[in-house]
Amino acid sequence: MGYLKKKFRNTKKLPDWIFYILAGIIKLMRLIFFRVKIVDPYGVINNKERVVGVTWHNRLLFFPAVFPKKVRKKTVAVVSASRDGQYIADLIKCFGLRSARGSSSKGGMHAQLEASRALHAGDNVSFTPDGPRGPRYHMSKGPIHLAAMHGVRVVPVAVNASRYWECRSWDRFQIPKPFAKLTVVIGKPMAIPPDLDQAGLEYYRKQVEDALNAVSNVRPEDLPTAEEIAECQRRKAAKKAKEQSV
């Protein structure tokens, strides 16, 4: 078992057929086991306006399966440059979503460039702003910076399950239970002014973070403490310094 586990961890790219099967299973489960309701009071789905969407990392399991095909085809997802990110990119490709690879800790400039190209082409860009390693429910400034640069609005999006299992991962990943109701909540698009300084970026980062927590029904007790945020940022900084020294 140890050999197989090590071999899996060293495998950065799995055969495409694995992801086609997994995507098929997810689509089938979505049709058989779940009721899906889309709450879109601001008409974002039918609006041709390009936007930057944000959703929390722990709500991703059925995220690509609950949106109309026309939305998926016009969306580019920013995905971590890590091995796990490769798996996610290969999976969402089966749903018609494209990906821009990179994160705040690795390949960030490349991801921002690809996201900028997508917006220039009239597509939407989707972020999981607490990924790839947290802290949970704490948003990075990447989506705010991108929206400010291109004059587009940021839209908080949540996929809330009425009943779910919660994993013991850093993000407490949610797995909806069979026959649960999946409610896709699309919040109010938020305008971001151009030419923001660091204080401005932080102000709008917090505004969008609060809006995303609201549509995601995040409880106050589940939010990370200031100490948890600081510790996570120290670990990221140490990892980045180690990678740069190699």
CSV table of all heavy atoms in Angstrom, one decimal, residues 104-105 129 133-136 138-141 202 205 209 224-241:
chain,number,residue,atom,x,y,z
A,104,SER,N,-1.6,31.9,-5.8
A,104,SER,CA,-0.9,32.9,-5.2
A,104,SER,C,0.5,32.5,-4.8
A,104,SER,O,1.5,33.3,-4.6
A,104,SER,CB,-1.6,33.4,-3.9
A,104,SER,OG,-1.8,32.3,-3.0
A,105,SER,N,0.7,31.2,-4.7
A,105,SER,CA,2.1,30.6,-4.3
A,105,SER,C,2.9,30.1,-5.4
A,105,SER,O,4.1,29.9,-5.3
A,105,SER,CB,1.9,29.5,-3.2
A,105,SER,OG,1.1,28.5,-3.7
A,129,PRO,N,-11.0,31.6,-4.1
A,129,PRO,CA,-10.1,32.6,-3.6
A,129,PRO,C,-9.4,32.2,-2.2
A,129,PRO,O,-8.6,32.9,-1.7
A,129,PRO,CB,-10.9,33.8,-3.4
A,129,PRO,CG,-12.3,33.4,-3.2
A,129,PRO,CD,-12.4,32.1,-4.1
A,133,ARG,N,-4.5,26.2,-0.5
A,133,ARG,CA,-4.3,25.6,0.9
A,133,ARG,C,-4.8,26.5,2.0
A,133,ARG,O,-4.3,26.4,3.1
A,133,ARG,CB,-2.8,25.3,1.1
A,133,ARG,CG,-2.2,24.4,0.1
A,133,ARG,CD,-2.8,23.0,0.2
A,133,ARG,NE,-2.7,22.4,1.5
A,133,ARG,CZ,-3.3,21.2,1.8
A,133,ARG,NH1,-4.0,20.6,1.0
A,133,ARG,NH2,-3.1,20.7,3.0
A,134,GLY,N,-5.7,27.4,1.7
A,134,GLY,CA,-6.3,28.2,2.8
A,134,GLY,C,-5.6,29.5,3.1
A,134,GLY,O,-4.7,30.0,2.4
A,135,PRO,N,-6.1,30.1,4.2
A,135,PRO,CA,-7.0,29.5,5.2
A,135,PRO,C,-8.4,29.5,4.7
A,135,PRO,O,-8.8,30.4,3.8
A,135,PRO,CB,-6.9,30.5,6.4
A,135,PRO,CG,-6.4,31.8,5.9
A,135,PRO,CD,-5.5,31.4,4.7
A,136,ARG,N,-9.2,28.6,5.2
A,136,ARG,CA,-10.6,28.4,4.7
A,136,ARG,C,-11.4,29.7,5.0
A,136,ARG,O,-11.3,30.4,6.0
A,136,ARG,CB,-11.2,27.3,5.6
A,136,ARG,CG,-12.7,27.0,5.3
A,136,ARG,CD,-13.2,25.9,6.2
A,136,ARG,NE,-13.3,26.4,7.6
A,136,ARG,CZ,-12.4,26.1,8.5
A,136,ARG,NH1,-11.4,25.3,8.3
A,136,ARG,NH2,-12.6,26.5,9.8
A,138,HIS,N,-11.1,32.6,3.8
A,138,HIS,CA,-10.3,33.8,3.7
A,138,HIS,C,-9.9,34.1,2.3
A,138,HIS,O,-9.2,33.3,1.7
A,138,HIS,CB,-9.1,33.8,4.6
A,138,HIS,CG,-8.3,35.0,4.6
A,138,HIS,ND1,-8.7,36.2,5.3
A,138,HIS,CD2,-7.1,35.3,4.1
A,138,HIS,CE1,-7.8,37.1,5.1
A,138,HIS,NE2,-6.8,36.6,4.4
A,139,MET,N,-10.4,35.2,1.8
A,139,MET,CA,-10.2,35.5,0.3
A,139,MET,C,-8.9,36.2,0.0
A,139,MET,O,-8.4,37.1,0.8
A,139,MET,CB,-11.4,36.4,-0.1
A,139,MET,CG,-11.3,36.7,-1.6
A,139,MET,SD,-12.9,37.5,-2.1
A,139,MET,CE,-12.4,38.1,-3.7
A,140,SER,N,-8.2,35.7,-1.0
A,140,SER,CA,-7.0,36.4,-1.5
A,140,SER,C,-7.4,37.7,-2.3
A,140,SER,O,-8.6,37.9,-2.7
A,140,SER,CB,-6.2,35.5,-2.4
A,140,SER,OG,-6.9,35.2,-3.6
A,141,LYS,N,-6.4,38.5,-2.6
A,141,LYS,CA,-6.7,39.7,-3.4
A,141,LYS,C,-6.7,39.5,-4.9
A,141,LYS,O,-7.0,40.5,-5.6
A,141,LYS,CB,-5.7,40.8,-3.0
A,141,LYS,CG,-5.7,41.2,-1.5
A,141,LYS,CD,-4.6,42.2,-1.2
A,141,LYS,CE,-4.7,42.7,0.2
A,141,LYS,NZ,-3.6,43.6,0.6
A,202,GLU,N,-7.5,45.9,-0.1
A,202,GLU,CA,-8.0,45.2,1.1
A,202,GLU,C,-9.4,45.5,1.5
A,202,GLU,O,-10.2,44.6,1.9
A,202,GLU,CB,-7.0,45.6,2.3
A,202,GLU,CG,-7.5,45.0,3.7
A,202,GLU,CD,-7.6,43.5,3.7
A,202,GLU,OE1,-7.0,42.8,2.9
A,202,GLU,OE2,-8.4,43.0,4.6
A,205,ARG,N,-11.5,43.6,-1.0
A,205,ARG,CA,-11.3,42.2,-0.7
A,205,ARG,C,-12.3,41.7,0.4
A,205,ARG,O,-13.0,40.7,0.3
A,205,ARG,CB,-9.9,41.9,-0.3
A,205,ARG,CG,-9.6,40.4,-0.1
A,205,ARG,CD,-8.4,40.2,0.8
A,205,ARG,NE,-8.7,40.6,2.2
A,205,ARG,CZ,-9.4,39.9,3.0
A,205,ARG,NH1,-9.9,38.7,2.7
A,205,ARG,NH2,-9.6,40.3,4.3
A,209,GLU,N,-15.4,39.2,0.3
A,209,GLU,CA,-15.3,38.1,1.2
A,209,GLU,C,-16.6,38.0,2.1
A,209,GLU,O,-17.2,36.9,2.2
A,209,GLU,CB,-14.1,38.2,2.1
A,209,GLU,CG,-13.9,37.1,3.1
A,209,GLU,CD,-12.7,37.3,4.0
A,209,GLU,OE1,-11.6,36.9,3.6
A,209,GLU,OE2,-12.9,37.9,5.1
A,224,PRO,N,-12.0,31.7,10.0
A,224,PRO,CA,-10.6,31.6,10.6
A,224,PRO,C,-10.3,32.7,11.5
A,224,PRO,O,-10.8,33.9,11.3
A,224,PRO,CB,-9.7,31.6,9.4
A,224,PRO,CG,-10.4,32.3,8.4
A,224,PRO,CD,-11.9,32.0,8.6
A,225,THR,N,-9.6,32.5,12.6
A,225,THR,CA,-9.2,33.5,13.5
A,225,THR,C,-8.0,34.3,12.9
A,225,THR,O,-7.3,33.8,11.9
A,225,THR,CB,-8.7,32.9,14.9
A,225,THR,OG1,-7.6,32.1,14.7
A,225,THR,CG2,-9.9,32.1,15.5
A,226,ALA,N,-7.7,35.4,13.5
A,226,ALA,CA,-6.5,36.2,13.0
A,226,ALA,C,-5.2,35.4,13.1
A,226,ALA,O,-4.3,35.5,12.3
A,226,ALA,CB,-6.4,37.5,13.8
A,227,GLU,N,-5.1,34.6,14.2
A,227,GLU,CA,-3.9,33.8,14.4
A,227,GLU,C,-3.8,32.7,13.3
A,227,GLU,O,-2.7,32.4,12.8
A,227,GLU,CB,-4.0,33.1,15.8
A,227,GLU,CG,-3.8,34.1,17.0
A,227,GLU,CD,-5.1,34.9,17.2
A,227,GLU,OE1,-6.2,34.5,16.7
A,227,GLU,OE2,-5.0,35.9,18.0
A,228,GLU,N,-4.9,32.1,13.0
A,228,GLU,CA,-4.9,31.0,11.9
A,228,GLU,C,-4.5,31.6,10.6
A,228,GLU,O,-3.7,31.0,9.8
A,228,GLU,CB,-6.3,30.4,11.8
A,228,GLU,CG,-6.6,29.5,13.0
A,228,GLU,CD,-8.1,29.0,12.9
A,228,GLU,OE1,-8.9,29.7,12.4
A,228,GLU,OE2,-8.3,27.9,13.5
A,229,ILE,N,-5.0,32.8,10.3
A,229,ILE,CA,-4.7,33.5,9.0
A,229,ILE,C,-3.2,33.8,9.0
A,229,ILE,O,-2.5,33.5,8.0
A,229,ILE,CB,-5.5,34.7,8.8
A,229,ILE,CG1,-7.0,34.4,8.6
A,229,ILE,CG2,-5.0,35.5,7.6
A,229,ILE,CD1,-7.9,35.6,8.6
A,230,ALA,N,-2.7,34.3,10.1
A,230,ALA,CA,-1.3,34.7,10.1
A,230,ALA,C,-0.4,33.5,10.0
A,230,ALA,O,0.7,33.5,9.3
A,230,ALA,CB,-1.0,35.5,11.5
A,231,GLU,N,-0.7,32.4,10.7
A,231,GLU,CA,0.1,31.2,10.7
A,231,GLU,C,0.1,30.6,9.2
A,231,GLU,O,1.1,30.2,8.8
A,231,GLU,CB,-0.5,30.2,11.6
A,231,GLU,CG,0.2,28.8,11.6
A,231,GLU,CD,1.7,28.9,11.9
A,231,GLU,OE1,2.1,29.8,12.6
A,231,GLU,OE2,2.4,28.0,11.4
A,232,CYS,N,-1.1,30.6,8.6
A,232,CYS,CA,-1.1,30.1,7.2
A,232,CYS,C,-0.3,30.9,6.3
A,232,CYS,O,0.4,30.4,5.4
A,232,CYS,CB,-2.6,30.1,6.7
A,232,CYS,SG,-2.8,29.4,5.1
A,233,GLN,N,-0.3,32.3,6.4
A,233,GLN,CA,0.5,33.1,5.6
A,233,GLN,C,2.0,32.9,5.9
A,233,GLN,O,2.8,33.0,4.9
A,233,GLN,CB,0.1,34.6,5.9
A,233,GLN,CG,-1.3,34.9,5.3
A,233,GLN,CD,-1.8,36.3,5.7
A,233,GLN,OE1,-1.3,36.9,6.7
A,233,GLN,NE2,-2.8,36.8,5.0
A,234,ARG,N,2.4,32.6,7.1
A,234,ARG,CA,3.8,32.4,7.4
A,234,ARG,C,4.2,31.1,6.7
A,234,ARG,O,5.3,31.0,6.2
A,234,ARG,CB,4.0,32.2,8.9
A,234,ARG,CG,4.0,33.6,9.7
A,234,ARG,CD,4.6,33.4,11.1
A,234,ARG,NE,3.6,32.6,11.9
A,234,ARG,CZ,2.7,33.2,12.6
A,234,ARG,NH1,2.5,34.5,12.6
A,234,ARG,NH2,1.9,32.5,13.4
A,235,ARG,N,3.4,30.0,6.7
A,235,ARG,CA,3.7,28.8,6.1
A,235,ARG,C,3.9,29.0,4.6
A,235,ARG,O,4.8,28.4,4.0
A,235,ARG,CB,2.6,27.7,6.4
A,235,ARG,CG,2.6,27.2,7.8
A,235,ARG,CD,1.9,25.9,7.9
A,235,ARG,NE,0.5,26.0,7.4
A,235,ARG,CZ,-0.6,26.3,8.1
A,235,ARG,NH1,-0.4,26.5,9.4
A,235,ARG,NH2,-1.8,26.3,7.6
A,236,LYS,N,3.0,29.8,4.0
A,236,LYS,CA,3.1,30.0,2.5
A,236,LYS,C,4.3,30.8,2.2
A,236,LYS,O,5.0,30.5,1.2
A,236,LYS,CB,1.8,30.8,2.1
A,236,LYS,CG,0.6,30.0,2.0
A,236,LYS,CD,-0.6,30.9,1.5
A,236,LYS,CE,-1.9,30.1,1.4
A,236,LYS,NZ,-3.0,31.0,0.9
A,237,ALA,N,4.7,31.8,3.0
A,237,ALA,CA,5.9,32.6,2.8
A,237,ALA,C,7.1,31.7,2.9
A,237,ALA,O,8.1,31.8,2.1
A,237,ALA,CB,5.9,33.7,3.8
A,238,ALA,N,7.1,30.8,3.9
A,238,ALA,CA,8.3,29.9,4.1
A,238,ALA,C,8.4,28.9,2.9
A,238,ALA,O,9.5,28.7,2.4
A,238,ALA,CB,8.1,29.2,5.4
A,239,LYS,N,7.3,28.4,2.4
A,239,LYS,CA,7.3,27.5,1.3
A,239,LYS,C,7.8,28.2,0.0
A,239,LYS,O,8.6,27.6,-0.7
A,239,LYS,CB,5.9,26.9,1.1
A,239,LYS,CG,5.9,25.9,-0.1
A,239,LYS,CD,4.5,25.3,-0.2
A,239,LYS,CE,4.4,24.3,-1.4
A,239,LYS,NZ,3.0,23.8,-1.5
A,240,LYS,N,7.3,29.4,-0.2
A,240,LYS,CA,7.7,30.2,-1.3
A,240,LYS,C,9.2,30.5,-1.3
A,240,LYS,O,9.9,30.4,-2.3
A,240,LYS,CB,6.9,31.5,-1.4
A,240,LYS,CG,7.2,32.3,-2.7
A,240,LYS,CD,6.2,33.4,-2.8
A,240,LYS,CE,6.4,34.2,-4.1
A,240,LYS,NZ,5.4,35.3,-4.2
A,241,ALA,N,9.7,30.9,-0.1
A,241,ALA,CA,11.2,31.2,0.0
A,241,ALA,C,12.0,29.9,-0.2
A,241,ALA,O,13.1,30.0,-0.9
A,241,ALA,CB,11.4,31.7,1.4
